[in-house]
Every structure is written in structure tokens, then in C-alpha cells.
């Protein structure tokens, strides 16, 4: 995903914090001077309930965003690789391309 500027995945959903907010985290693991793994976890976002019980659902959807982007890009790539010159570009393909453009901030 070299055309993206966001924090690379995977992101993970984190159980509610002390005030009921939900968080999406990214783990940045590297080694310390002794070769031990050190996790420099970062909060990608904090999500609050907009409506009752929406916070967890929204946070889980956000946490899956890098995986969803990569999967959709792979499906589009595979589909386009097998298109023949006379094939029509379908509305679902146009919608999928638009979704990736929206995620990149192109539109």
C-alpha cells in the first residue's frame, strides 16, 4: 500500500477505557539493545458512543480498515487483470475504485 499515508496495519480493537471509550491501537514492535521485542503501542483513534452501543461497532470497523483496504485493492487488481478489452466496467467495480480513492483522500 505504498500509495497510502496512514499508519500501516494491522490495527487492533482495544476494550473500553476507564470512561467507556473504545480505542484502536497500532503496535510498532522493534528490538531493544539486548534484542528483546519492545512494543511501542500507539493509539490510532479513540471512539465514543454516538448512539447506544455504536462505539464498539465503530471501533471494530475502524480497526479493520487497513485489512479491508488491502483486500479490496487485491480483489480489484485480480478482477482488472482478468478483464478482456470488450468487458464492461461494472458499477460495483467503479464503487470499489471510488471507495479506495476516498480512503486515500483523492476524492
Amino acid at each position: 500500500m505504498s500509495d497510502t499515508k496512514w499508519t500501516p496495519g494491522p490495527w487492533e480493537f482495544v476494550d473500553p477505557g476507564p470512561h467507556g471509550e473504545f480505542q484502536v491501537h497500532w503496535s510498532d514492535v522493534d528490538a531493544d539493545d539486548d534484542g528483546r521485542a519492545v512494543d511501542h503501542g500507539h493509539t490510532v483513534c479513540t471512539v465514543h458512543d454516538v448512539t447506544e452501543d455504536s462505539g464498539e461497532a465503530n471501533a471494530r470497523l475502524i480497526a479493520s480498515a487497513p485489512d479491508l483496504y488491502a483486500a479490496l485493492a487485491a480483489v480489484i487488481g485480480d478482477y482488472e487483470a482478468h478483464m478482456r478489452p470488450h468487458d464492461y466496467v461494472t458499477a460495483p467495480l467503479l464503487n470499489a475504485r471510488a471507495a479506495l480513492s476516498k480512503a486515500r483522500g483523492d476524492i
Side-chain angles (χ1 to χ4, degrees):
M1 289 189 293
S2 62
D3 59 345
T4 63
K5 295 178 184 172
W6 56 75
T7 305
W11 296 351
E12 61 184 26
F13 167 81
V14 179
D15 287 328
H19 305 290
E21 74 280 3
F22 299 91
Q23 294 191 341
V24 176
H25 283 193
W26 170 63
S27 292
D28 180 17
V29 179
D30 62 10
D32 66 9
D33 293 337
D34 295 323
R36 293 177 295 213
V38 178
D39 184 356
H40 306 281
H42 303 278
T43 299
V44 173
C45 69
T46 300
V47 182
H48 300 273
D49 280 332
V50 175
T51 60
E52 187 174 338
D53 299 326
S54 67
E56 180 176 351
N58 291 340
R60 288 183 183 279
L61 179 62
I62 293 166
S64 69
D67 298 325
L68 291 170
Y69 183 95
L72 185 56
V75 168
I76 290 171
D78 188 57
Y79 183 83
E80 290 175 339
H82 293 92
M83 287 180 73
R84 297 179 301 264
H86 63 276
D87 287 343
Y88 292 102
V89 176
T90 63
L93 178 58
L94 293 174
N95 291 340
R97 288 176 179 166
L100 294 186
S101 290
K102 182 178 179 180
R104 288 189 305 267
D106 298 341
I107 57 173

